[in-house]
Amino acid sequence: MKNQNYYITTPIYYPSGQPHMGHAYSSIIADVFARFKRIDNSNVYFLTGTDEHGLKIQKAAEKASMDPLSYCNKISMVFRNLTKKLDLSNNDFIRTTEDRHYKSVNDLWNKLIKSGDIYLSKYKGWYSVSDEAYYNSDEIIEKDGIKFSSFSGSTVEWVEEESFFFRLSSWEKKLLDFYKKNDKFILPLSRRNEVINFVKSGLKDLSVSRTSFTWGIKVPDNNKHVIYVWLDALTNYLSALNYPDVKNKMYKNFWPASLHVIGKDILRFHAIYWPAFLLAAKIEPPKRIFSHGWILSGDEKMSKSKGNILNPLEIIDNYGIDELRYYLMKEVPHGSDGSISLKNLENCINSDLANNYGNLCQRIFSFIKNNCKNKVTKNNTKSKNDSNLLDKTKILMKNLRVEMDNQNLNNYIKSVIDISFLTNKYINDEEPWKLKNTNLEKMNNILHVCLKQIAMISILLNPIIPRATSKVLDALNIEKKSRNFSFLDGEEIIPDNIEVNNLDILFKKIQK
Ligand code: MSP
């Protein structure tokens, strides 16, 4: 499919502290899908940003002895800089303190008031500032006199105040119908079941405003209240498309969003509240929510409060950004939690990047430099090994688009790295170095097969490790506009006569 519009988002991050590996993880996943879709000829809009209102941020600013906006300006910049460090290809970076966002939130609020979905009453119940979430009494546990949410483990406090409510209870059936009609709205499926069970167990109306603090978007016509930070935050996905101007090109092209990438801790907000708000406002809900698992350190969630953080910036400085991206995408299973460690990172760099893909490229490029003056010519004699490799490659590539369309990155990476492994094996079996003086034609053919494999693997890995693969594609003299997946549809990727450039080392093997 050509030139499909594809709108993909990351969660917007709380600038309540420094970015950590969990943030990097959400962002890199979204970036990989965005890059993949671009290479597959879609017209992609990729959004990330910061979520700057609410009590949590107000408290963080107070702690830093700053006013909330100056505080947000400072930390939001740190998140913006992180996008560069992570090589994110985002088209936009939204802040919920921007005018464009205020306009959208105001409009959405007014629509919900007009439709009768918001009413004024009094809230009495548990609230977690750290999660910015309300919890039911049956979700609260007590330990040493302190109350916690059994869902997230965060402390909760009792809140009683006047509040506007969203009639979430009246959306129960309509949400269940919506999930039924859109059976891949939530992936992976285990998460979908979790959400459906939660909705089936009964939804209570949701408090959507607060009066006990001020740092937020004021409720139109009632300045005593600020809008609940999640109703505010979720709307960022519309604000970036200039909503409420629904006639503008951005909105027309990109709404409904194709994919919101989120962590499993914020699934309820995205899979229940968000479609309910949108349906109530007669706006089409997004097409998909992909909920990834947690990055664990040992068997605990990596988080600031637990003090078990691996700092992404340090890892990038010590090992490189492609290395971090590859490791996180490969190591953490599809939608599940995954434990990460420096030891496993080093093993992964050595086995997959240095010894497999890196070695494949290096050995072929240096052989061609030393023996062929960087020029290779294909001829049409095909050996049994050639056909064998090409057939196996075809089989491994067959499902790649489907894997990506289902956000199954692990299977995708496994198949591509298997192709690289098979190609290394092909070289070992064919031993082109033995043909230098006896059969140049056959030697050229083998090298041509290898270059073609390297070109395909590099394009396939490009969304995950953009730096290294771009070096290889540059060395292969493949034009930028030809770096796409048309070879998956049978198009030739390199010419019969090819001249390559020298290739520098891609990945340093880590000595232990
Ligand atoms: N501001 C909200 C999101 C609003 S989206 C409209 C928020 N922000 S956050 O900064 O706390 O977290 C953002 C994302 O980082 C979440 O998707 C969360 O799952 C992810 N991670 C934070 N820690 C994580 C791990 N240890 N592992 C993986 N991701 C986790 O929630």
Side-chain angles (χ1 to χ4, degrees):
M1 262 184 284
K2 293 243 168 203
N3 296 326
Q4 218 189 3
N5 292 322
Y6 193 85
Y7 179 32
I8 177 165
T9 64
T10 71
I12 48 169
Y13 302 104
Y14 290 128
S16 55
Q18 296 298 315
H20 63 72
M21 199 59 91
H23 303 131
Y25 182 60
S26 285
S27 286
I28 295 171
I29 294 184
D31 186 61
V32 170
F33 296 136
R35 287 177 182 270
F36 176 88
K37 281 289 172 184
R38 284 197 195 99
I39 292 180
D40 209 13
N41 275 340
S42 287
N43 181 23
V44 172
Y45 200 70
F46 172 26
L47 174 72
T48 187
T50 41
D51 180 1
E52 306 187 6
H53 292 128
L55 190 52
K56 178 173 166 132
I57 303 297
Q58 185 174 312
K59 284 190 169 171
E62 276 162 17
K63 206 169 156 202
S65 306
M66 291 174 86
D67 70 274
L69 186 59
S70 311
Y71 174 80
C72 289
N73 288 344
K74 186 174 157 204
I75 312 279
S76 177
M77 192 49 85
V78 177
F79 277 88
R80 201 187 279 268
N81 290 340
L82 182 74
T83 62
K84 307 213 168 70
K85 284 268 185 186
L86 297 176
D87 278 346
L88 301 190
S89 60
N90 55 302
N91 301 88
D92 196 351
F93 185 100
I94 191 156
R95 299 182 55 191
T96 55
T97 45
E98 288 175 61
D99 270 355
R100 56 175 172 165
H101 180 66
Y102 279 59
K103 272 190 209 142
S104 298
V105 174
N106 271 301
D107 187 89
L108 185 63
W109 179 275
N110 287 335
K111 283 215 169 77
L112 297 176
I113 289 275
K114 215 165 152 194
S115 67
D117 281 277
I118 287 183
Y119 63 93
L120 189 60
S121 183
K122 194 163 180 198
Y123 179 76
K124 257 195 206 171
W126 296 105
Y127 192 77
S128 155
V129 178
S130 157
D131 303 345
E132 295 285 17
Y134 301 96
Y135 290 108
N136 298 334
S137 297
D138 60 2
E139 292 175 299
I140 305 300
I141 43 173
E142 188 173 337
K143 218 172 133 194
D144 304 329
I146 302 173
K147 300 237 172 8
F148 297 89
S149 148
S150 57
F151 177 73
S152 67
S154 307
T155 52
V156 293
E157 59 194 45
W158 184 257
V159 171
E160 271 188 49
E161 62 189 25
E162 184 186 87
S163 172
F164 283 95
F165 282 81
F166 174 75
R167 287 184 207 283
L168 189 60
S169 58
S170 71
W171 288 91
E172 219 174 279
K173 171 142 187 344
K174 281 169 252 178
L175 281 172
L176 291 171
D177 286 348
F178 175 76
Y179 302 141
K180 200 167 173 189
K181 250 194 239 138
N182 301 280
D183 59 348
K184 284 192 176 169
F185 172 62
I186 304 164
L187 280 186
L189 290 178
S190 56
R191 298 271 169 244
R192 174 175 191 264
N193 297 337
E194 217 173 81
V195 168
I196 290 179
N197 289 339
F198 185 80
V199 175
K200 276 188 179 158
S201 73
L203 294 177
K204 289 208 313 206
D205 288 356
L206 177 72
S207 161
V208 286
S209 75
R210 304 287 312 267
T211 49
S212 49
F213 64 90
T214 51
W215 180 236
I217 302 182
K218 302 251 180 302
V219 165
D221 305 325
N222 192 337
N223 283 352
K224 213 167 79 187
H225 290 251
V226 295
I227 295 177
Y228 175 39
V229 64
W230 272 99
L231 173 51
D232 165 345
L234 288 160
T235 310
N236 90 87
Y237 303 132
L238 291 171
S239 318
L241 305 181
N242 307 322
Y243 175 88
D245 175 7
V246 294
K247 293 216 169 94
N248 88 85
K249 234 167 116 192
M250 286 299 289
Y251 186 86
K252 275 170 73 180
N253 282 347
F254 291 110
W255 195 261
S258 315
L259 179 64
H260 294 319
V261 173
I262 57 156
K264 67 177 185 180
D265 47 340
I266 56 174
L267 180 61
R268 265 186 213 177
F269 304 100
H270 282 82
I272 301 174
Y273 304 169
W274 185 222
F277 296 153
L278 291 170
L279 289 168
K282 301 203 163 38
I283 299 171
E284 206 177 325
K287 292 186 191 142
R288 174 153 320 152
I289 312 288
F290 172 66
S291 157
H292 63 71
W294 280 339
I295 303 275
L296 306 175
S297 173
D299 53 12
E300 281 203 316
K301 184 188 179 205
M302 195 172 284
S303 73
K304 203 172 78 180
S305 50
K306 297 209 171 86
N308 57 1
I309 291 173
L310 278 184
N311 181 343
L313 298 178
E314 270 172 30
I315 294 196
I316 295 167
D317 285 346
N318 292 337
Y319 297 93
I321 179 59
D322 273 0
E323 286 81 348
L324 174 66
R325 288 173 64 106
Y326 184 86
Y327 174 60
L328 288 179
M329 296 304 102
K330 157 100 192 287
E331 192 76 357
V332 185
H334 176 68
S336 316
D337 296 345
S339 187
I340 62 169
S341 68
L342 286 183
K343 190 172 143 242
N344 288 345
L345 167 71
E346 293 184 350
N347 286 341
C348 174
I349 293 173
N350 281 351
S351 69
D352 285 20
L353 297 179
N355 292 346
N356 191 339
Y357 172 65
N359 180 39
L360 170 66
C361 298
Q362 236 82 57
R363 70 199 292 209
I364 289 299
F365 273 83
S366 42
F367 187 90
I368 293 173
K369 178 182 163 196
N370 295 335
N371 300 288
C372 314
K373 297 203 178 100
N374 275 344
K375 288 189 183 124
V376 171
T377 302
K378 174 186 171 180
N379 53 69
N380 284 323
T381 50
K382 240 194 216 156
S383 75
K384 219 170 115 204
N385 279 348
D386 292 353
S387 310
N388 202 354
L389 175 67
L390 298 176
D391 289 349
K392 282 189 177 153
T393 301
K394 234 185 195 163
I395 293 170
L396 283 166
M397 287 201 301
K398 201 168 145 229
N399 285 325
L400 290 180
R401 275 195 178 109
V402 179
E403 298 292 8
M404 274 305 212
D405 282 340
N406 289 318
Q407 285 72 52
N408 205 337
L409 253 171
N410 303 100
N411 283 0
Y412 178 93
I413 294 178
K414 188 174 177 317
S415 297
V416 180
I417 221 64
D418 280 353
I419 298 174
S420 180
F421 180 83
L422 285 174
T423 311
N424 269 318
K425 183 172 178 306
Y426 165 84
I427 300 169
N428 298 346
D429 293 343
E430 288 297 274
E431 302 179 308
W433 46 90
K434 286 198 177 152
L435 301 171
K436 274 193 266 188
N437 301 320
T438 53
N439 191 344
L440 281 182
E441 207 166 279
K442 183 161 184 214
M443 184 181 90
N444 262 269
N445 221 34
I446 295 166
L447 296 173
H448 195 274
V449 167
C450 292
L451 287 179
K452 181 175 164 183
Q453 293 287 107
I454 288 174
M456 294 193 298
I457 296 164
S458 300
I459 291 178
L460 291 167
L461 287 181
N462 181 262
I464 301 151
I465 46 171
R467 289 195 183 195
T469 51
S470 297
K471 278 189 206 159
V472 177
L473 293 165
D474 286 346
L476 283 165
N477 289 312
I478 296 182
E479 284 180 67
K480 293 230 159 52
K481 67 174 178 9
S482 306
R483 297 176 189 182
N484 58 46
F485 290 141
S486 46
F487 64 86
L488 289 176
D489 306 316
E491 274 182 38
E492 282 306 329
I493 188 165
I494 55 169
D496 288 355
N497 293 309
I498 177 165
E499 180 162 2
V500 300
N501 307 329
N502 298 342
L503 181 71
D504 290 339
I505 183 143
L506 295 175
F507 301 101
K508 279 199 210 97
K509 198 167 165 181
I510 294 158
Q511 307 296 340
K512 294 195 227 181

